[in-house]
Amino acid sequence: MKVTILGSGVIGTTCAYYLAKAGHQVTVLERQSAPAMETSFANAGEVSPGYSAPWAGPGVPLKAVKWMLMHHSPLVIWPMLDPAMWRWGASMLRNCTEARYALNKARMVRLAEYSRDCLRELRADTGIQYDERSQGTLQLFRTQQQLDGTGKDIEILQQYGVAYELLDRAGYIGVEPALAHVQEKFVGALRLPGDETGDCFKFTQRLAELAQRLGAKFRFGVNIQAIHSDGSRITGIMTDRKLQQADCYLVALGSHSPLLLRPVGIRIPVYPVKGYSITVPIEDASRAPESTIMDETHKVAVTRLGDRIRVGGTAELAGYSNTLREARRGTLNHVLTDLFPGAGDVAKGQFWSGLRPMTPDGTPVVGDSIYPNLYLATGHGTLGWTMAAGTGRVMADLVSGRAPEIDMDGLTAARYRQGAPRRHMA
Ligand SMILES: Cc1cc2nc3c(=O)[nH]c(=O)nc-3n(C[C@H](O)[C@H](O)[C@H](O)COP(=O)(O)OP(=O)(O)OC[C@H]3O[C@@H](n4cnc5c(N)ncnc54)[C@H](O)[C@@H]3O)c2cc1C
């Protein structure tokens, strides 16, 4: 079958690989000059099914107010007159109940665990290398209150069979020896040994090469302007060059997906939530992290990627703006020097921002749509790298007419349709 994929971030590229492997004729349309040049470029590098959870949870509205008042705040909301942002925010608030949190988390963990397994298989099949490590994630707590608060998370980890270890000082220094230099700052840690790390950009670039070897064609520098439909099927993709036609189409445009889907009657609540990262060359490896550390206070992740450290985090609601704000860099510099003093010189760090394609319920939109020849793979929010391989596998199965290996209930856009006129929702 001829399949056109819109977007060559980690999601579009992973779909391209699996679809090409399944024998389809794949063409990928991408406005940038290479894969993974937007949100998939410099994320925090965690492949973290253990940490898969929606941001919307019980107690979050109150915490959000406190976060906004902190000096190195993990959350910034710019007072904008963007109705889409306020609608998205209201919907996120509605997801902050115990029941919604548990439902959303279960959906996310289902895809994330499957995805991590697909990634391992992909690595074994292809030998792809991307500064990967399989040494888990360590969530660090500065206060006893934070440590005590893990009870609920642990219950959920147990419920989904996710391996975890609760560590005291000696325990976390055992897995991250460089933390010995700052041990007085932390009371304990939660380790998720099944998590992995790796450079999403390198992975995507190399997977695109593998997809090309399987026959996929990547068309870079192509600006997609509109999706055309005759009311019952998608008939083509209008670009700044020509109308591109195929048997079926897959939208993987990250935060930009809803803008192109709306004119064909599909409304999905995906909104950009900006995050920042710095990438710092390691100067003293004995003082650097081994894997990923989550600083629970600042909600910042510090990850070892080969001979570099990636520090990523913060959530900023600022529309589609990619402006780099120095205050955010200050927070990332602060966390790195606070946790790993002497590991690297933050002045040499490369500063970056990206727009997480977030849904209010945290779960991505993966699967079919109201059009029989249109598929959606977007809204992966904070976990697009974690969920990419599983998303690609699921999409290849669906397009090939096979049942995916995981239950798709609650992952597709159908969950937003309830009670809404069909023509307005996917
Ligand atoms: C600071 C930060 C830290 C993060 N850390 C992690 C992490 O540790 N682990 C994790 O799992 N996830 C993480 N994420 C999330 C992850 O990076 C995203 O979920 C993922 O990159 C989304 O991939 P995507 O392919 O959907 O979007 P993108 O990478 O944005 O790809 C969409 C593509 O569509 C193209 N496009 C858009 N519009 C058009 C158009 N009109 N015409 C042509 N092309 C178009 C874009 O150029 C882009 O290449 C983080 C994100 C941020 C910002």
Side-chain angles (χ1 to χ4, degrees), residues 10 13-14 119 122-123 128-130 198-209 385 388-389:
V10 67
T13 304
T14 312
L119 181 62
L122 176 65
R123 230 171 23 226
I128 189 169
Q129 292 182 338
Y130 47 92
D199 186 331
C200 178
F201 171 74
K202 280 191 182 174
F203 171 86
T204 310
Q205 294 256 320
R206 290 175 186 171
L207 196 66
E209 285 166 20
W385 173 209

mmCIF file with all atom_site columns, all heavy atoms in Angstrom, residues 10 13-14 119 122-123 128-130 198-209 385 388-389:
data_model
loop_
_atom_site.group_PDB
_atom_site.id
_atom_site.type_symbol
_atom_site.label_atom_id
_atom_site.label_alt_id
_atom_site.label_comp_id
_atom_site.label_asym_id
_atom_site.label_entity_id
_atom_site.label_seq_id
_atom_site.pdbx_PDB_ins_code
_atom_site.Cartn_x
_atom_site.Cartn_y
_atom_site.Cartn_z
_atom_site.occupancy
_atom_site.B_iso_or_equiv
_atom_site.pdbx_formal_charge
_atom_site.auth_seq_id
_atom_site.auth_comp_id
_atom_site.auth_asym_id
_atom_site.auth_atom_id
_atom_site.pdbx_PDB_model_num
ATOM 1   N N   . VAL A 1 10  ? 10.514 11.866 15.878 1.00 0.00 ? 10  VAL A N   1
ATOM 2   C CA  . VAL A 1 10  ? 10.750 10.479 16.273 1.00 0.00 ? 10  VAL A CA  1
ATOM 3   C C   . VAL A 1 10  ? 9.527  9.604  15.983 1.00 0.00 ? 10  VAL A C   1
ATOM 4   O O   . VAL A 1 10  ? 9.657  8.436  15.603 1.00 0.00 ? 10  VAL A O   1
ATOM 5   C CB  . VAL A 1 10  ? 11.186 10.383 17.764 1.00 0.00 ? 10  VAL A CB  1
ATOM 6   C CG1 . VAL A 1 10  ? 10.065 10.778 18.730 1.00 0.00 ? 10  VAL A CG1 1
ATOM 7   C CG2 . VAL A 1 10  ? 11.697 8.988  18.084 1.00 0.00 ? 10  VAL A CG2 1
ATOM 8   N N   . THR A 1 13  ? 9.106  9.080  11.983 1.00 0.00 ? 13  THR A N   1
ATOM 9   C CA  . THR A 1 13  ? 10.211 8.273  11.465 1.00 0.00 ? 13  THR A CA  1
ATOM 10  C C   . THR A 1 13  ? 10.092 6.823  11.929 1.00 0.00 ? 13  THR A C   1
ATOM 11  O O   . THR A 1 13  ? 10.339 5.887  11.165 1.00 0.00 ? 13  THR A O   1
ATOM 12  C CB  . THR A 1 13  ? 11.553 8.882  11.926 1.00 0.00 ? 13  THR A CB  1
ATOM 13  O OG1 . THR A 1 13  ? 11.579 10.245 11.493 1.00 0.00 ? 13  THR A OG1 1
ATOM 14  C CG2 . THR A 1 13  ? 12.732 8.125  11.345 1.00 0.00 ? 13  THR A CG2 1
ATOM 15  N N   . THR A 1 14  ? 9.699  6.627  13.172 1.00 0.00 ? 14  THR A N   1
ATOM 16  C CA  . THR A 1 14  ? 9.549  5.256  13.678 1.00 0.00 ? 14  THR A CA  1
ATOM 17  C C   . THR A 1 14  ? 8.398  4.555  12.940 1.00 0.00 ? 14  THR A C   1
ATOM 18  O O   . THR A 1 14  ? 8.515  3.384  12.576 1.00 0.00 ? 14  THR A O   1
ATOM 19  C CB  . THR A 1 14  ? 9.307  5.269  15.203 1.00 0.00 ? 14  THR A CB  1
ATOM 20  O OG1 . THR A 1 14  ? 10.281 6.121  15.790 1.00 0.00 ? 14  THR A OG1 1
ATOM 21  C CG2 . THR A 1 14  ? 9.458  3.897  15.805 1.00 0.00 ? 14  THR A CG2 1
ATOM 22  N N   . LEU A 1 119 ? 11.476 -1.417 21.464 1.00 0.00 ? 119 LEU A N   1
ATOM 23  C CA  . LEU A 1 119 ? 12.775 -0.765 21.252 1.00 0.00 ? 119 LEU A CA  1
ATOM 24  C C   . LEU A 1 119 ? 13.917 -1.766 21.448 1.00 0.00 ? 119 LEU A C   1
ATOM 25  O O   . LEU A 1 119 ? 14.877 -1.796 20.677 1.00 0.00 ? 119 LEU A O   1
ATOM 26  C CB  . LEU A 1 119 ? 12.911 0.422  22.209 1.00 0.00 ? 119 LEU A CB  1
ATOM 27  C CG  . LEU A 1 119 ? 14.193 1.239  22.114 1.00 0.00 ? 119 LEU A CG  1
ATOM 28  C CD1 . LEU A 1 119 ? 14.353 1.885  20.742 1.00 0.00 ? 119 LEU A CD1 1
ATOM 29  C CD2 . LEU A 1 119 ? 14.223 2.336  23.188 1.00 0.00 ? 119 LEU A CD2 1
ATOM 30  N N   . LEU A 1 122 ? 14.006 -3.942 18.456 1.00 0.00 ? 122 LEU A N   1
ATOM 31  C CA  . LEU A 1 122 ? 14.530 -3.175 17.314 1.00 0.00 ? 122 LEU A CA  1
ATOM 32  C C   . LEU A 1 122 ? 16.054 -3.088 17.378 1.00 0.00 ? 122 LEU A C   1
ATOM 33  O O   . LEU A 1 122 ? 16.756 -3.242 16.378 1.00 0.00 ? 122 LEU A O   1
ATOM 34  C CB  . LEU A 1 122 ? 13.909 -1.771 17.338 1.00 0.00 ? 122 LEU A CB  1
ATOM 35  C CG  . LEU A 1 122 ? 14.366 -0.745 16.312 1.00 0.00 ? 122 LEU A CG  1
ATOM 36  C CD1 . LEU A 1 122 ? 13.978 -1.175 14.910 1.00 0.00 ? 122 LEU A CD1 1
ATOM 37  C CD2 . LEU A 1 122 ? 13.735 0.608  16.598 1.00 0.00 ? 122 LEU A CD2 1
ATOM 38  N N   . ARG A 1 123 ? 16.558 -2.872 18.598 1.00 0.00 ? 123 ARG A N   1
ATOM 39  C CA  . ARG A 1 123 ? 18.008 -2.795 18.800 1.00 0.00 ? 123 ARG A CA  1
ATOM 40  C C   . ARG A 1 123 ? 18.663 -4.130 18.454 1.00 0.00 ? 123 ARG A C   1
ATOM 41  O O   . ARG A 1 123 ? 19.684 -4.174 17.779 1.00 0.00 ? 123 ARG A O   1
ATOM 42  C CB  . ARG A 1 123 ? 18.274 -2.453 20.267 1.00 0.00 ? 123 ARG A CB  1
ATOM 43  C CG  . ARG A 1 123 ? 19.219 -1.325 20.431 1.00 0.00 ? 123 ARG A CG  1
ATOM 44  C CD  . ARG A 1 123 ? 19.357 -0.799 21.820 1.00 0.00 ? 123 ARG A CD  1
ATOM 45  N NE  . ARG A 1 123 ? 19.030 -1.649 22.923 1.00 0.00 ? 123 ARG A NE  1
ATOM 46  C CZ  . ARG A 1 123 ? 18.286 -1.271 23.952 1.00 0.00 ? 123 ARG A CZ  1
ATOM 47  N NH1 . ARG A 1 123 ? 17.779 -0.061 23.969 1.00 0.00 ? 123 ARG A NH1 1
ATOM 48  N NH2 . ARG A 1 123 ? 18.060 -2.081 24.963 1.00 0.00 ? 123 ARG A NH2 1
ATOM 49  N N   . ILE A 1 128 ? 21.127 -0.809 15.964 1.00 0.00 ? 128 ILE A N   1
ATOM 50  C CA  . ILE A 1 128 ? 21.118 0.671  16.000 1.00 0.00 ? 128 ILE A CA  1
ATOM 51  C C   . ILE A 1 128 ? 21.741 1.181  17.311 1.00 0.00 ? 128 ILE A C   1
ATOM 52  O O   . ILE A 1 128 ? 21.499 0.620  18.373 1.00 0.00 ? 128 ILE A O   1
ATOM 53  C CB  . ILE A 1 128 ? 19.670 1.198  15.808 1.00 0.00 ? 128 ILE A CB  1
ATOM 54  C CG1 . ILE A 1 128 ? 19.669 2.722  15.619 1.00 0.00 ? 128 ILE A CG1 1
ATOM 55  C CG2 . ILE A 1 128 ? 18.759 0.781  16.952 1.00 0.00 ? 128 ILE A CG2 1
ATOM 56  C CD1 . ILE A 1 128 ? 18.315 3.273  15.160 1.00 0.00 ? 128 ILE A CD1 1
ATOM 57  N N   . GLN A 1 129 ? 22.579 2.223  17.188 1.00 0.00 ? 129 GLN A N   1
ATOM 58  C CA  . GLN A 1 129 ? 23.246 2.785  18.367 1.00 0.00 ? 129 GLN A CA  1
ATOM 59  C C   . GLN A 1 129 ? 22.921 4.272  18.489 1.00 0.00 ? 129 GLN A C   1
ATOM 60  O O   . GLN A 1 129 ? 22.910 4.984  17.488 1.00 0.00 ? 129 GLN A O   1
ATOM 61  C CB  . GLN A 1 129 ? 24.756 2.603  18.255 1.00 0.00 ? 129 GLN A CB  1
ATOM 62  C CG  . GLN A 1 129 ? 25.144 1.133  18.357 1.00 0.00 ? 129 GLN A CG  1
ATOM 63  C CD  . GLN A 1 129 ? 26.643 0.917  18.304 1.00 0.00 ? 129 GLN A CD  1
ATOM 64  O OE1 . GLN A 1 129 ? 27.383 1.755  17.810 1.00 0.00 ? 129 GLN A OE1 1
ATOM 65  N NE2 . GLN A 1 129 ? 27.082 -0.223 18.813 1.00 0.00 ? 129 GLN A NE2 1
ATOM 66  N N   . TYR A 1 130 ? 22.670 4.689  19.718 1.00 0.00 ? 130 TYR A N   1
ATOM 67  C CA  . TYR A 1 130 ? 22.257 6.086  19.912 1.00 0.00 ? 130 TYR A CA  1
ATOM 68  C C   . TYR A 1 130 ? 22.637 6.549  21.329 1.00 0.00 ? 130 TYR A C   1
ATOM 69  O O   . TYR A 1 130 ? 21.855 7.211  21.992 1.00 0.00 ? 130 TYR A O   1
ATOM 70  C CB  . TYR A 1 130 ? 20.728 6.225  19.660 1.00 0.00 ? 130 TYR A CB  1
ATOM 71  C CG  . TYR A 1 130 ? 19.899 5.160  20.352 1.00 0.00 ? 130 TYR A CG  1
ATOM 72  C CD1 . TYR A 1 130 ? 19.380 5.382  21.619 1.00 0.00 ? 130 TYR A CD1 1
ATOM 73  C CD2 . TYR A 1 130 ? 19.677 3.915  19.765 1.00 0.00 ? 130 TYR A CD2 1
ATOM 74  C CE1 . TYR A 1 130 ? 18.649 4.407  22.274 1.00 0.00 ? 130 TYR A CE1 1
ATOM 75  C CE2 . TYR A 1 130 ? 18.942 2.934  20.416 1.00 0.00 ? 130 TYR A CE2 1
ATOM 76  C CZ  . TYR A 1 130 ? 18.438 3.190  21.665 1.00 0.00 ? 130 TYR A CZ  1
ATOM 77  O OH  . TYR A 1 130 ? 17.711 2.215  22.317 1.00 0.00 ? 130 TYR A OH  1
ATOM 78  N N   . GLY A 1 198 ? 18.805 7.358  26.143 1.00 0.00 ? 198 GLY A N   1
ATOM 79  C CA  . GLY A 1 198 ? 19.454 7.398  24.834 1.00 0.00 ? 198 GLY A CA  1
ATOM 80  C C   . GLY A 1 198 ? 19.130 8.697  24.117 1.00 0.00 ? 198 GLY A C   1
ATOM 81  O O   . GLY A 1 198 ? 18.191 9.406  24.482 1.00 0.00 ? 198 GLY A O   1
ATOM 82  N N   . ASP A 1 199 ? 19.921 8.981  23.087 1.00 0.00 ? 199 ASP A N   1
ATOM 83  C CA  . ASP A 1 199 ? 19.772 10.232 22.335 1.00 0.00 ? 199 ASP A CA  1
ATOM 84  C C   . ASP A 1 199 ? 18.710 10.040 21.249 1.00 0.00 ? 199 ASP A C   1
ATOM 85  O O   . ASP A 1 199 ? 18.943 9.338  20.253 1.00 0.00 ? 199 ASP A O   1
ATOM 86  C CB  . ASP A 1 199 ? 21.133 10.593 21.726 1.00 0.00 ? 199 ASP A CB  1
ATOM 87  C CG  . ASP A 1 199 ? 21.108 11.950 21.059 1.00 0.00 ? 199 ASP A CG  1
ATOM 88  O OD1 . ASP A 1 199 ? 20.023 12.356 20.575 1.00 0.00 ? 199 ASP A OD1 1
ATOM 89  O OD2 . ASP A 1 199 ? 22.157 12.606 21.009 1.00 0.00 ? 199 ASP A OD2 1
ATOM 90  N N   . CYS A 1 200 ? 17.582 10.679 21.454 1.00 0.00 ? 200 CYS A N   1
ATOM 91  C CA  . CYS A 1 200 ? 16.430 10.541 20.557 1.00 0.00 ? 200 CYS A CA  1
ATOM 92  C C   . CYS A 1 200 ? 16.770 11.046 19.151 1.00 0.00 ? 200 CYS A C   1
ATOM 93  O O   . CYS A 1 200 ? 16.345 10.472 18.146 1.00 0.00 ? 200 CYS A O   1
ATOM 94  C CB  . CYS A 1 200 ? 15.273 11.345 21.164 1.00 0.00 ? 200 CYS A CB  1
ATOM 95  S SG  . CYS A 1 200 ? 13.765 11.370 20.225 1.00 0.00 ? 200 CYS A SG  1
ATOM 96  N N   . PHE A 1 201 ? 17.567 12.105 19.067 1.00 0.00 ? 201 PHE A N   1
ATOM 97  C CA  . PHE A 1 201 ? 17.952 12.675 17.768 1.00 0.00 ? 201 PHE A CA  1
ATOM 98  C C   . PHE A 1 201 ? 18.796 11.670 16.972 1.00 0.00 ? 201 PHE A C   1
ATOM 99  O O   . PHE A 1 201 ? 18.511 11.373 15.810 1.00 0.00 ? 201 PHE A O   1
ATOM 100 C CB  . PHE A 1 201 ? 18.727 13.978 17.997 1.00 0.00 ? 201 PHE A CB  1
ATOM 101 C CG  . PHE A 1 201 ? 19.360 14.530 16.756 1.00 0.00 ? 201 PHE A CG  1
ATOM 102 C CD1 . PHE A 1 201 ? 18.586 15.148 15.781 1.00 0.00 ? 201 PHE A CD1 1
ATOM 103 C CD2 . PHE A 1 201 ? 20.730 14.434 16.557 1.00 0.00 ? 201 PHE A CD2 1
ATOM 104 C CE1 . PHE A 1 201 ? 19.179 15.655 14.624 1.00 0.00 ? 201 PHE A CE1 1
ATOM 105 C CE2 . PHE A 1 201 ? 21.325 14.943 15.410 1.00 0.00 ? 201 PHE A CE2 1
ATOM 106 C CZ  . PHE A 1 201 ? 20.544 15.548 14.442 1.00 0.00 ? 201 PHE A CZ  1
ATOM 107 N N   . LYS A 1 202 ? 19.823 11.108 17.638 1.00 0.00 ? 202 LYS A N   1
ATOM 108 C CA  . LYS A 1 202 ? 20.679 10.131 16.940 1.00 0.00 ? 202 LYS A CA  1
ATOM 109 C C   . LYS A 1 202 ? 19.849 8.921  16.506 1.00 0.00 ? 202 LYS A C   1
ATOM 110 O O   . LYS A 1 202 ? 20.007 8.413  15.409 1.00 0.00 ? 202 LYS A O   1
ATOM 111 C CB  . LYS A 1 202 ? 21.796 9.637  17.875 1.00 0.00 ? 202 LYS A CB  1
ATOM 112 C CG  . LYS A 1 202 ? 22.950 10.586 17.997 1.00 0.00 ? 202 LYS A CG  1
ATOM 113 C CD  . LYS A 1 202 ? 24.115 9.902  18.721 1.00 0.00 ? 202 LYS A CD  1
ATOM 114 C CE  . LYS A 1 202 ? 25.258 10.886 18.891 1.00 0.00 ? 202 LYS A CE  1
ATOM 115 N NZ  . LYS A 1 202 ? 26.351 10.340 19.710 1.00 0.00 ? 202 LYS A NZ  1
ATOM 116 N N   . PHE A 1 203 ? 18.974 8.470  17.408 1.00 0.00 ? 203 PHE A N   1
ATOM 117 C CA  . PHE A 1 203 ? 18.120 7.313  17.101 1.00 0.00 ? 203 PHE A CA  1
ATOM 118 C C   . PHE A 1 203 ? 17.282 7.604  15.843 1.00 0.00 ? 203 PHE A C   1
ATOM 119 O O   . PHE A 1 203 ? 17.225 6.792  14.915 1.00 0.00 ? 203 PHE A O   1
ATOM 120 C CB  . PHE A 1 203 ? 17.200 7.025  18.296 1.00 0.00 ? 203 PHE A CB  1
ATOM 121 C CG  . PHE A 1 203 ? 16.137 5.991  18.023 1.00 0.00 ? 203 PHE A CG  1
ATOM 122 C CD1 . PHE A 1 203 ? 16.408 4.638  18.171 1.00 0.00 ? 203 PHE A CD1 1
ATOM 123 C CD2 . PHE A 1 203 ? 14.861 6.368  17.617 1.00 0.00 ? 203 PHE A CD2 1
ATOM 124 C CE1 . PHE A 1 203 ? 15.433 3.683  17.918 1.00 0.00 ? 203 PHE A CE1 1
ATOM 125 C CE2 . PHE A 1 203 ? 13.883 5.426  17.356 1.00 0.00 ? 203 PHE A CE2 1
ATOM 126 C CZ  . PHE A 1 203 ? 14.167 4.078  17.517 1.00 0.00 ? 203 PHE A CZ  1
ATOM 127 N N   . THR A 1 204 ? 16.653 8.771  15.830 1.00 0.00 ? 204 THR A N   1
ATOM 128 C CA  . THR A 1 204 ? 15.730 9.089  14.728 1.00 0.00 ? 204 THR A CA  1
ATOM 129 C C   . THR A 1 204 ? 16.496 9.208  13.409 1.00 0.00 ? 204 THR A C   1
ATOM 130 O O   . THR A 1 204 ? 16.049 8.706  12.368 1.00 0.00 ? 204 THR A O   1
ATOM 131 C CB  . THR A 1 204 ? 14.956 10.386 15.043 1.00 0.00 ? 204 THR A CB  1
ATOM 132 O OG1 . THR A 1 204 ? 14.407 10.280 16.362 1.00 0.00 ? 204 THR A OG1 1
ATOM 133 C CG2 . THR A 1 204 ? 13.834 10.623 14.064 1.00 0.00 ? 204 THR A CG2 1
ATOM 134 N N   . GLN A 1 205 ? 17.639 9.876  13.455 1.00 0.00 ? 205 GLN A N   1
ATOM 135 C CA  . GLN A 1 205 ? 18.440 10.030 12.231 1.00 0.00 ? 205 GLN A CA  1
ATOM 136 C C   . GLN A 1 205 ? 18.848 8.655  11.696 1.00 0.00 ? 205 GLN A C   1
ATOM 137 O O   . GLN A 1 205 ? 18.762 8.397  10.502 1.00 0.00 ? 205 GLN A O   1
ATOM 138 C CB  . GLN A 1 205 ? 19.697 10.841 12.561 1.00 0.00 ? 205 GLN A CB  1
ATOM 139 C CG  . GLN A 1 205 ? 19.387 12.281 12.959 1.00 0.00 ? 205 GLN A CG  1
ATOM 140 C CD  . GLN A 1 205 ? 19.690 13.273 11.851 1.00 0.00 ? 205 GLN A CD  1
ATOM 141 O OE1 . GLN A 1 205 ? 20.679 13.139 11.178 1.00 0.00 ? 205 GLN A OE1 1
ATOM 142 N NE2 . GLN A 1 205 ? 18.832 14.253 11.681 1.00 0.00 ? 205 GLN A NE2 1
ATOM 143 N N   . ARG A 1 206 ? 19.296 7.786  12.601 1.00 0.00 ? 206 ARG A N   1
ATOM 144 C CA  . ARG A 1 206 ? 19.780 6.474  12.148 1.00 0.00 ? 206 ARG A CA  1
ATOM 145 C C   . ARG A 1 206 ? 18.637 5.570  11.708 1.00 0.00 ? 206 ARG A C   1
ATOM 146 O O   . ARG A 1 206 ? 18.777 4.798  10.769 1.00 0.00 ? 206 ARG A O   1
ATOM 147 C CB  . ARG A 1 206 ? 20.635 5.822  13.249 1.00 0.00 ? 206 ARG A CB  1
ATOM 148 C CG  . ARG A 1 206 ? 21.922 6.595  13.357 1.00 0.00 ? 206 ARG A CG  1
ATOM 149 C CD  . ARG A 1 206 ? 22.847 6.197  14.440 1.00 0.00 ? 206 ARG A CD  1
ATOM 150 N NE  . ARG A 1 206 ? 23.951 7.171  14.443 1.00 0.00 ? 206 ARG A NE  1
ATOM 151 C CZ  . ARG A 1 206 ? 24.875 7.254  15.374 1.00 0.00 ? 206 ARG A CZ  1
ATOM 152 N NH1 . ARG A 1 206 ? 24.846 6.431  16.397 1.00 0.00 ? 206 ARG A NH1 1
ATOM 153 N NH2 . ARG A 1 206 ? 25.828 8.155  15.280 1.00 0.00 ? 206 ARG A NH2 1
ATOM 154 N N   . LEU A 1 207 ? 17.507 5.699  12.391 1.00 0.00 ? 207 LEU A N   1
ATOM 155 C CA  . LEU A 1 207 ? 16.356 4.880  11.989 1.00 0.00 ? 207 LEU A CA  1
ATOM 156 C C   . LEU A 1 207 ? 15.841 5.330  10.617 1.00 0.00 ? 207 LEU A C   1
ATOM 157 O O   . LEU A 1 207 ? 15.383 4.504  9.819  1.00 0.00 ? 207 LEU A O   1
ATOM 158 C CB  . LEU A 1 207 ? 15.240 4.961  13.043 1.00 0.00 ? 207 LEU A CB  1
ATOM 159 C CG  . LEU A 1 207 ? 14.197 3.860  12.907 1.00 0.00 ? 207 LEU A CG  1
ATOM 160 C CD1 . LEU A 1 207 ? 14.800 2.480  13.198 1.00 0.00 ? 207 LEU A CD1 1
ATOM 161 C CD2 . LEU A 1 207 ? 13.023 4.100  13.838 1.00 0.00 ? 207 LEU A CD2 1
ATOM 162 N N   . ALA A 1 208 ? 15.930 6.635  10.344 1.00 0.00 ? 208 ALA A N   1
ATOM 163 C CA  . ALA A 1 208 ? 15.510 7.135  9.021  1.00 0.00 ? 208 ALA A CA  1
ATOM 164 C C   . ALA A 1 208 ? 16.398 6.507  7.940  1.00 0.00 ? 208 ALA A C   1
ATOM 165 O O   . ALA A 1 208 ? 15.901 6.113  6.869  1.00 0.00 ? 208 ALA A O   1
ATOM 166 C CB  . ALA A 1 208 ? 15.602 8.658  8.981  1.00 0.00 ? 208 ALA A CB  1
ATOM 167 N N   . GLU A 1 209 ? 17.687 6.358  8.231  1.00 0.00 ? 209 GLU A N   1
ATOM 168 C CA  . GLU A 1 209 ? 18.587 5.710  7.254  1.00 0.00 ? 209 GLU A CA  1
ATOM 169 C C   . GLU A 1 209 ? 18.165 4.254  7.038  1.00 0.00 ? 209 GLU A C   1
ATOM 170 O O   . GLU A 1 209 ? 18.115 3.774  5.914  1.00 0.00 ? 209 GLU A O   1
ATOM 171 C CB  . GLU A 1 209 ? 20.028 5.731  7.770  1.00 0.00 ? 209 GLU A CB  1
ATOM 172 C CG  . GLU A 1 209 ? 20.688 7.095  7.667  1.00 0.00 ? 209 GLU A CG  1
ATOM 173 C CD  . GLU A 1 209 ? 21.976 7.171  8.500  1.00 0.00 ? 209 GLU A CD  1
ATOM 174 O OE1 . GLU A 1 209 ? 22.545 6.110  8.838  1.00 0.00 ? 209 GLU A OE1 1
ATOM 175 O OE2 . GLU A 1 209 ? 22.381 8.297  8.806  1.00 0.00 ? 209 GLU A OE2 1
ATOM 176 N N   . TRP A 1 385 ? 9.524  9.998  23.062 1.00 0.00 ? 385 TRP A N   1
ATOM 177 C CA  . TRP A 1 385 ? 10.690 9.147  22.838 1.00 0.00 ? 385 TRP A CA  1
ATOM 178 C C   . TRP A 1 385 ? 10.420 7.781  23.467 1.00 0.00 ? 385 TRP A C   1
ATOM 179 O O   . TRP A 1 385 ? 10.640 6.742  22.862 1.00 0.00 ? 385 TRP A O   1
ATOM 180 C CB  . TRP A 1 385 ? 11.891 9.854  23.410 1.00 0.00 ? 385 TRP A CB  1
ATOM 181 C CG  . TRP A 1 385 ? 13.235 9.191  23.497 1.00 0.00 ? 385 TRP A CG  1
ATOM 182 C CD1 . TRP A 1 385 ? 14.178 9.468  24.434 1.00 0.00 ? 385 TRP A CD1 1
ATOM 183 C CD2 . TRP A 1 385 ? 13.832 8.216  22.624 1.00 0.00 ? 385 TRP A CD2 1
ATOM 184 N NE1 . TRP A 1 385 ? 15.298 8.708  24.223 1.00 0.00 ? 385 TRP A NE1 1
ATOM 185 C CE2 . TRP A 1 385 ? 15.110 7.931  23.115 1.00 0.00 ? 385 TRP A CE2 1
ATOM 186 C CE3 . TRP A 1 385 ? 13.391 7.525  21.499 1.00 0.00 ? 385 TRP A CE3 1
ATOM 187 C CZ2 . TRP A 1 385 ? 15.965 6.998  22.527 1.00 0.00 ? 385 TRP A CZ2 1
ATOM 188 C CZ3 . TRP A 1 385 ? 14.242 6.594  20.906 1.00 0.00 ? 385 TRP A CZ3 1
ATOM 189 C CH2 . TRP A 1 385 ? 15.507 6.348  21.418 1.00 0.00 ? 385 TRP A CH2 1
ATOM 190 N N   . ALA A 1 388 ? 7.750  5.873  21.221 1.00 0.00 ? 388 ALA A N   1
ATOM 191 C CA  . ALA A 1 388 ? 7.877  5.905  19.755 1.00 0.00 ? 388 ALA A CA  1
ATOM 192 C C   . ALA A 1 388 ? 7.848  4.509  19.128 1.00 0.00 ? 388 ALA A C   1
ATOM 193 O O   . ALA A 1 388 ? 7.083  4.258  18.187 1.00 0.00 ? 388 ALA A O   1
ATOM 194 C CB  . ALA A 1 388 ? 9.164  6.628  19.369 1.00 0.00 ? 388 ALA A CB  1
ATOM 195 N N   . ALA A 1 389 ? 8.672  3.591  19.640 1.00 0.00 ? 389 ALA A N   1
ATOM 196 C CA  . ALA A 1 389 ? 8.770  2.286  18.977 1.00 0.00 ? 389 ALA A CA  1
ATOM 197 C C   . ALA A 1 389 ? 7.425  1.555  19.021 1.00 0.00 ? 389 ALA A C   1
ATOM 198 O O   . ALA A 1 389 ? 6.989  0.965  18.017 1.00 0.00 ? 389 ALA A O   1
ATOM 199 C CB  . ALA A 1 389 ? 9.864  1.449  19.629 1.00 0.00 ? 389 ALA A CB  1
#
